């Protein structure tokens, strides 16, 4: 009986192939119980296989006996032979399926934070905070002489020569601020 097949004892029929999702690297098997399920991270290569194939980069298999691999999920990436998606690291995000490496994850953009491994969508900063590119968490603006407008990017914005007050609606509008929001007000 050839590899990848079983020949039940006492029958004269053709060798029976192991089903897809299983393999059999040896010859002379007498029952379907001899067929071995493909391991997680692999998939079947069709009926009568002598070996299983590794999941391609960008896909994974989390079950034994899989007939095909699944696309890598949002927020993660899958190298060859993955059994589960590896999460994009903190400070980055993955908004596409099928990523193959951490290099496919995007750095969190300026004005946003990506606080958790496996982030799928960056979180915008709130007034009073800023976030440079690749931020894991927003940073507090701090101090009465600076402000952080909504989705502040590289850092706090100086108040000016000390004469400007962000309780002034005209100046607040210039920075996209709400004069009633205490987190964006500074003193003179």
């Amino acid at each position: 009986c050839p590899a990848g097949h079983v020949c039940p004892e006492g029958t004269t029929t053709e060798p029976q192939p192991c089903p897809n999702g299983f393999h059999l690297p040896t010859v002379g098997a007498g029952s379907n119980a001899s067929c071995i399920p493909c391991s997680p991270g692999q998939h079947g290569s069709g009926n009568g296989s002598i070996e299983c194939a590794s999941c391609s980069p960008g896909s994974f298999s989390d079950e034994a006996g899989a007939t095909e691999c699944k696309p890598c999920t949002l927020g993660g990436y899958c190298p060859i032979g993955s059994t589960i998606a590896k999460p994009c690291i903190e400070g980055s995000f993955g908004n596409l399926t099928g990523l193959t490496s951490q290099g496919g994850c995007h750095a969190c953009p300026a004005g946003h934070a990506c606080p958790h491994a496996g982030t799928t969508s960056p979180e915008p900063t709130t007034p009073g905070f800023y976030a440079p590119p690749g931020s894991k968490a927003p940073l507090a603006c701090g101090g009465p002489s600076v402000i952080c407008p909504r989705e502040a990017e590289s850092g706090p914005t100086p108040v000016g020569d000390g004469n400007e007050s962000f309780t002034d609606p005209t100046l607040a509008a210039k920075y996209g601020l709400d004069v009633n929001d205490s987190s964006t007000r500074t003193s003179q």
Side-chain angles (χ1 to χ4, degrees), residues 48 52 79:
C52 297

Side-chain angles (χ1 to χ4, degrees), residues 161-185:
D161 62 8
N163 298 333
E164 299 170 328
S165 168
F166 285 92
T167 56
D168 174 357
T170 304
L171 187 56
K174 174 181 171 185
Y175 290 99
L177 304 174
D178 179 356
V179 295
N180 297 315
D181 183 349
S182 64
S183 69
T184 62
R185 277 189 257 148

Side-chain angles (χ1 to χ4, degrees), residues 55-60 70-82 84-89 92-107 118-120:
C55 290
S56 300
S59 66
F60 74 101
K70 305 170 195 172
C72 201
T73 54
L74 292 173
Y77 62 94
C78 299
I80 190 169
S82 290
I84 191 166
K86 295 178 184 245
C88 294
I89 62 171
S92 68
F93 69 101
N95 62 347
L96 300 172
T97 60
L99 298 180
T100 62
S101 69
Q102 174 62 41
C105 301
H106 303 285
T119 296
T120 60

